Every structure is written in structure tokens, then in C-alpha cells.
């Protein structure tokens, strides 16, 4: 048997008619940049999350960039971000001229709030938390520190559409929530796409300007912006897909449950918290024999992925960046132990059981 890490064609086939009709609707409408389709999706996405406003942008990376710009973060400012994440959670900080301060993570892969407190300086303006692999961070602790030190909180929800912390959707707890619709994400489109949500009307207005050259009125820029919009065809596709996201996330949780129950005795499985709903963008196990395990799985047709092979502070781009504590050792450990095994809603029970059997075989 061959079990791929992801198979996007299966999902497309399961909702082909809905997708095709959405694409046709947008193309036939003659409106391809912003317009009704994007506005409708923004409204529906805001409603789904329980936020006041949503702004569609070109990618998850741009969502983070526009958020930092709207908060006025730049030269001389510091932004706290986890040492263990995708590049975009930190490179946007450099892009606006500010300095990332890398914080070590907990065993659950997310930023350690105890270190955030230590990372705060006179220059700190914001914290970017990442709900990595679809697991919400400890937001109460993060928000307490932010309030105490008057910091903005940006939630990087690129891997966590639909995840909940104490009954609230991620992205609605901090000042701004940033989402990615990159094809491989829980809610993916068929190209690049992103979204920003907020309850602040002021930030909303500002972010809408920033995504169109800082122009409210055509040809009259009021401020420095960029050009980054959610494509209208992608918005149509996402409107169709949003109707299915809860079902897909439920299936991810169901698969995670089967994996956890079957593997808990042989390998370290992801933590589940009673006050949070994780959406398992990845199912990431930890093993000291990670590299031989990858080989074993590959030989038996099971694809895996390593998220992430290097801590951000160890990459050339971030050389010399401040780290708290000095050598973010948990992030380093995770780069050596972590292994993500196949999880996506269309995975069959048969495939899930095959993956489990192959893993068990390794320890036998
Ligand atoms: C994918 C991802 C991003 C960036 O999103 P893009 O749409 O690819 O630009 C940011 N942060 C995290 C944690 C991600 O996984």
C-alpha cells in the first residue's frame, strides 16, 4: 500500500460540482479583483470565526505582514515569536524593519508563555503566537502578559482554521488573527490566499487600505501600502469549501484519536487539552529513532514529513537574533524528534490502520 502525506485530488473529486460551479460563477461575473465574491467570503469567514471584520489578502505571509504594518510596527521595535515555526511567522518582522526575538517552545510544540515574560523588553511591541499543527496556544497566559506590558497579540492561525480555545475560535482572542489558504492547509484554496480577522474597526479600515497601495480613493495613496488581495476565484472556491470545514476537521480529529489510542504506548503522541479543540493540521509524533523510523515507513510506502528540521534562530536569515532562553534547546530537540505522519480528511480507515501497523512493526 502507498499512503501519501496528502492527496488534494481526493478532496476536489468529493466536491467537484460545487467547486466547478463557484469557479464558473466568478469567471462569468466579469469581476476578478475584490468585488462581491471576496466581500461575501470575508463576511462568511468573519461570521464562522465569530469576529467583526475580515480582510482577504494574497497569502498567509501577507496577512502577517499587513497586520504588523497596521499596528505601526517597524524600526527599533521588537516582536516576540516562537523559535519553532514556519519561516513566515518571523521573516515578516524583519520585512517591516523590526527585530524578531525568538522564544523557546513547550513540549506541545507551541510558544512557552513563561519565556515570553522573560523576552519582553522596553522595545517589545507585539507577540506573534502560532497555533502550530492546529493546536491552540495557552492564550490566557499570553493575553495576561500582553495586557501587563501593553503589547499587541497577533495570532498566526495558518494551520488552525476552526481550532478553539475555551470555546472561542483561534484568531479572535488576540488583536488580529492571520490565516493562510495555501493548498495544503486545513482550509486550502487552489493557489495562494490569506485572511486577516479583527474586532477593531480602526485596524480593519487600515488593513483594507494597506492591501491596495494605501488608497481609499483610486490614485490617491494616503499611506504606504502593498498590493495583496485574495483572488476572487479563490474566494469563490473558499466559500464552497468553508461549508465543509467543520466536517473535515471532525474527521481529522477522529483520525488523530485512532492514531493516539493505537500508538500512545509505543511513541509520544500529541497532547490533548480539555479546554481546547485542536484541528490536527499535522499529527506529529516524537521519537528518538526518528531518522530510522522515516526510512522504515518510506520502505513500506508511508510518506512522512519533518516539520521543522531547523529552529528559526539557527537559519542563516536569523543569525544573531535574540533568543530566550539563550539556546532555545526545546526547539532544537523538536527538530530532531518530530515526525508528522499522514493526516487529512480523505484518508481511509484502511490507510490509517496500515500506518499504525507499519509503526508497530518498527518497534516489534
Ligand atoms: C503556511 C504558514 C504561513 C504562511 O502562509 P502562506 O499562505 O504560505 O504565505 C505562516 N505561518 C505558518 C505557521 C504557516 O504554516
Amino acid at each position: 500500500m502507498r499512503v501519501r502525506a496528502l492527496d488534494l485530488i481526493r478532496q476536489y473529486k468529493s466536491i467537484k460540482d460545487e467547486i466547478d460551479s463557484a469557479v464558473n460563477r466568478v469567471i462569468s461575473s466579469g469581476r476578478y479583483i475584490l468585488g462581491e465574491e471576496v466581500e461575501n467570503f470575508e463576511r462568511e469567514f468573519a461570521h464562522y470565526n465569530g469576529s467583526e471584520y475580515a480582510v482577504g489578502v494574497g497569502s498567509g505571509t501577507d496577512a502577517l505582514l499587513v497586520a504588523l504594518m497596521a499596528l505601526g510596527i517597524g524600526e527599533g521595535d521588537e516582536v516576540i515569536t516562537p523559535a519553532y515555526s514556519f519561516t513566515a511567522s518571523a521573516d515578516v518582522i524583519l520585512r517591516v524593519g523590526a527585530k524578531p526575538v525568538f522564544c523557546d517552545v513547550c513540549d506541545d510544540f507551541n510558544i512557552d508563555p513563561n519565556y515570553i515574560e522573560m523576552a519582553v523588553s522596553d522595545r517589545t511591541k507585539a507577540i506573534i503566537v502560532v497555533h502550530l499543527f492546529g493546536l491552540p496556544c495557552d492564550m490566557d497566559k499570553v493575553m495576561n502578559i500582553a495586557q501587563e506590558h501593553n503589547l499587541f497579540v497577533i495570532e498566526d492561525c495558518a494551520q488552525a482554521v476552526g481550532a478553539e480555545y475555551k470555546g472561542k475560535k483561534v484568531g479572535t482572542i488576540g488583536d488580529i488573527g492571520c490565516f493562510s489558504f495555501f493548498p495544503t492547509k486545513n482550509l486550502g484554496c487552489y493557489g495562494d490566499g490569506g485572511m486577516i480577522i479583527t474586532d477593531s474597526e480602526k485596524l480593519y479600515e487600515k488593513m483594507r487600505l494597506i492591501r491596495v497601495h494605501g488608497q481609499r480613493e483610486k490614485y490617491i495613496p494616503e499611506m504606504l501600502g502593498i498590493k495583496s488581495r485574495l483572488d476572487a476565484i479563490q474566494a469563490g472556491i473558499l466559500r464552497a469549501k468553508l461549508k465543509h470545514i467543520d466536517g473535515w476537521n471532525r474527521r481529522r480529529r477522529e483520525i488523530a484519536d485512532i492514531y493516539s489510542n493505537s500508538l500512545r504506548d509505543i511513541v509520544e503522541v500529541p497532547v490533548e487539552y480539555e479546554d481546547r479543540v485542536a484541528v490536527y493540521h499535522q499529527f506529529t509524533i516524537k521519537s528518538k529513532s526518528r531518522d530510522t523510523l522515516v526510512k522504515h515507513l518510506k520502505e513500506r510506502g508511508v510518506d512522512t514529513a519533518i516539520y521543522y528540521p531547523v529552529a528559526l534562530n539557527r537559519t542563516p536569515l536569523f543569525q544573531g537574533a535574540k533568543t530566550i532562553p539563550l539556546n532555545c534547546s526545546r526547539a532544537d530537540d523538536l527538530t530532531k524528534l518530530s515526525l508528522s505522519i499522514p493526516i487529512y480528511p480523505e484518508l481511509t480507515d484502511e490507510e490509517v490502520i496500515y500506518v499504525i501497523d507499519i509503526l508497530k512493526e518498527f518497534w516489534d
Side-chain angles (χ1 to χ4, degrees), residues 63-64 66-69 71 73 79-80 126-131 139 142 152-157 174-178:
L64 292 162
V66 171
L68 288 171
M69 290 173 77
L71 294 172
I73 289 163
V79 178
I80 296 167
I127 310 166
I128 297 179
V129 295
V130 183
H131 305 297
M139 287 308 290
V142 171
F152 295 114
V153 174
I154 298 171
E155 294 176 70
D156 180 343
C157 311
D175 298 278
I176 300 178
C178 298

Side-chain angles (χ1 to χ4, degrees), residues 8 11 161 180-191 234 237-238 241 245 248:
L8 295 172
Q11 184 169 91
V161 176
S180 165
F181 305 125
F182 188 79
T184 61
K185 308 285 164 132
N186 292 45
L187 180 63
C189 58
Y190 297 129
Q234 302 302 344
I237 290 163
L238 287 160
K241 284 193 161 200
I245 188 67
W248 289 332

Side-chain angles (χ1 to χ4, degrees), residues 59-61 64 85-86 88-89 130 156 158-159 180 182 185 193 308:
S59 69
T61 305
L64 292 162
S85 183
F86 177 62
S89 312
V130 183
D156 180 343
Q159 304 185 1
S180 165
F182 188 79
K185 308 285 164 132
Y308 294 89

Side-chain angles (χ1 to χ4, degrees), residues 271-320:
V271 189
E272 268 271 336
Y273 294 98
E274 281 199 349
D275 57 358
R276 306 176 211 181
V277 180
V279 292
Y280 291 94
H281 174 63
Q282 299 295 341
F283 188 91
T284 306
I285 58 175
K286 286 180 233 163
S287 167
K288 288 212 168 77
S289 339
R290 198 255 322 261
D291 295 339
T292 38
L293 182 56
V294 169
K295 217 169 133 258
H296 172 84
L297 287 158
K298 193 179 165 74
E299 278 165 11
R300 282 153 182 78
V302 178
D303 289 354
T304 57
I306 293 171
Y307 302 112
Y308 294 89
V310 196
L312 289 173
N313 54 295
R314 304 278 181 205
T315 63
L317 176 65
F318 296 111
Q319 283 301 306

